[in-house]
Protein backbone atom coordinates (compact mmCIF):
# COMPACT_ATOMS: atom_id res chain seq x y z
CA UNK A 1 0.00 0.00 0.00
CA UNK A 2 2.83 2.43 0.81
CA UNK A 3 4.38 1.79 -2.62
CA UNK A 4 1.11 2.79 -4.27
CA UNK A 5 0.94 5.92 -2.13
CA UNK A 6 4.54 6.83 -2.99
CA UNK A 7 3.76 6.37 -6.69
CA UNK A 8 0.69 8.59 -6.37
CA UNK A 9 2.75 11.28 -4.63
CA UNK A 10 5.35 11.13 -7.40
CA UNK A 11 2.66 11.46 -10.06
CA UNK A 12 1.18 14.44 -8.24
CA UNK A 13 4.59 16.06 -7.80
CA UNK A 14 5.57 15.66 -11.47
CA UNK A 15 3.55 18.66 -12.74
CA UNK A 16 4.93 20.82 -9.95
CA UNK A 17 8.50 19.83 -10.76
CA UNK A 18 8.06 20.53 -14.47
CA UNK A 19 6.51 23.88 -13.70
CA UNK A 20 9.34 24.75 -11.34
CA UNK A 21 11.95 23.67 -13.93
CA UNK A 22 10.40 25.86 -16.62
CA UNK A 23 10.41 29.02 -14.46
CA UNK A 24 13.41 31.21 -13.80
CA UNK A 25 15.65 30.12 -10.94
CA UNK A 26 14.94 31.76 -7.63
CA UNK A 27 13.16 31.07 -4.39
CA UNK A 28 10.40 28.46 -4.76
CA UNK A 29 6.97 29.93 -4.98
CA UNK A 30 4.40 28.79 -2.46
CA UNK A 31 1.74 28.68 -5.15
CA UNK A 32 3.23 25.62 -6.82
CA UNK A 33 3.60 23.78 -3.54
CA UNK A 34 0.08 24.75 -2.49
CA UNK A 35 -1.39 23.57 -5.80
CA UNK A 36 0.52 20.30 -5.48
CA UNK A 37 -0.86 19.76 -1.97
CA UNK A 38 -4.38 20.49 -3.19
CA UNK A 39 -3.95 18.11 -6.14
CA UNK A 40 -2.68 15.40 -3.78
CA UNK A 41 -5.60 15.86 -1.38
CA UNK A 42 -8.03 15.84 -4.29
CA UNK A 43 -6.50 12.61 -5.62
CA UNK A 44 -6.74 10.99 -2.17
CA UNK A 45 -10.40 11.97 -1.89
CA UNK A 46 -11.12 10.60 -5.37
CA UNK A 47 -9.44 7.29 -4.52
CA UNK A 48 -11.43 7.05 -1.28
CA UNK A 49 -14.67 7.77 -3.11
CA UNK A 50 -13.93 5.17 -5.78
CA UNK A 51 -13.03 2.64 -3.09
CA UNK A 52 -16.30 3.29 -1.30
CA UNK A 53 -18.29 2.85 -4.52
CA UNK A 54 -16.48 -0.42 -5.32
CA UNK A 55 -17.10 -1.67 -1.77
CA UNK A 56 -20.82 -0.85 -2.02
CA UNK A 57 -21.13 -2.57 -5.40
CA UNK A 58 -19.36 -5.65 -4.02
CA UNK A 59 -21.62 -5.73 -0.96
CA UNK A 60 -24.70 -5.35 -3.13
CA UNK A 61 -23.55 -8.16 -5.45
CA UNK A 62 -22.85 -10.39 -2.43
CA UNK A 63 -26.30 -9.74 -0.98
CA UNK A 64 -28.06 -10.33 -4.29
CA UNK A 65 -26.16 -13.31 -5.71
CA UNK A 66 -23.83 -15.01 -3.25
CA UNK A 67 -25.35 -14.78 0.22
CA UNK A 68 -27.92 -17.52 -0.33
CA UNK A 69 -25.24 -19.98 -1.43
CA UNK A 70 -22.57 -18.99 1.08
CA UNK A 71 -24.84 -19.13 4.13
CA UNK A 72 -25.61 -22.81 3.57
CA UNK A 73 -21.89 -23.59 3.35
CA UNK A 74 -21.18 -21.64 6.52
CA UNK A 75 -23.83 -23.50 8.54
CA UNK A 76 -22.96 -26.92 7.09
CA UNK A 77 -19.79 -27.49 9.24
CA UNK A 78 -21.67 -26.76 12.45
CA UNK A 79 -24.33 -29.37 11.62
CA UNK A 80 -21.65 -31.83 10.60
CA UNK A 81 -19.70 -31.22 13.80
CA UNK A 82 -22.81 -31.70 15.92
CA UNK A 83 -23.78 -34.95 14.20
CA UNK A 84 -20.21 -36.33 14.46
CA UNK A 85 -20.04 -35.45 18.15
CA UNK A 86 -23.41 -37.13 18.78
CA UNK A 87 -22.21 -40.30 17.02
CA UNK A 88 -18.99 -40.32 19.07
CA UNK A 89 -20.94 -39.89 22.31
CA UNK A 90 -23.27 -42.73 21.34
CA UNK A 91 -20.41 -45.16 20.63
CA UNK A 92 -18.21 -44.36 23.62
CA UNK A 93 -19.85 -45.68 26.78
CA UNK A 94 -18.09 -43.40 29.28
CA UNK A 95 -19.46 -40.20 27.70
CA UNK A 96 -23.13 -41.17 28.03
Amino acid sequence: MSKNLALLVLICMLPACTLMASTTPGPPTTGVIQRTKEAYRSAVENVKNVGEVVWNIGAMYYDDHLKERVDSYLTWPSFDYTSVWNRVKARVPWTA
Side-chain angles (χ1 to χ4, degrees):
M1 181 67 179
S2 62
K3 291 179 183 179
N4 294 339
L5 184 61
L7 182 64
L8 184 64
V9 168
L10 287 175
I11 290 171
C12 290
M13 290 294 289
L14 186 63
C17 292
T18 29
L19 185 63
M20 288 170 57
S22 65
T23 59
T24 58
T29 59
T30 58
V32 172
I33 295 172
Q34 186 65 29
R35 283 184 285 175
T36 305
K37 283 180 11 182
E38 290 171 1
Y40 171 75
R41 288 186 180 137
S42 170
V44 167
E45 282 299 316
N46 288 340
V47 167
K48 286 181 181 178
N49 291 339
V50 167
E52 185 178 336
V53 167
V54 169
W55 178 267
N56 290 338
I57 289 172
M60 193 170 30
Y61 182 81
Y62 173 79
D63 288 340
D64 291 344
H65 300 286
L66 300 177
K67 189 172 184 177
E68 298 163 356
R69 294 182 183 181
V70 171
D71 285 344
S72 63
Y73 288 114
L74 290 177
T75 56
W76 172 73
S78 65
F79 291 135
D80 191 40
Y81 167 76
T82 306
S83 64
V84 169
W85 181 244
N86 288 336
R87 282 186 276 163
V88 168
K89 285 195 313 187
R91 291 184 185 204
V92 179
W94 52 269
T95 60

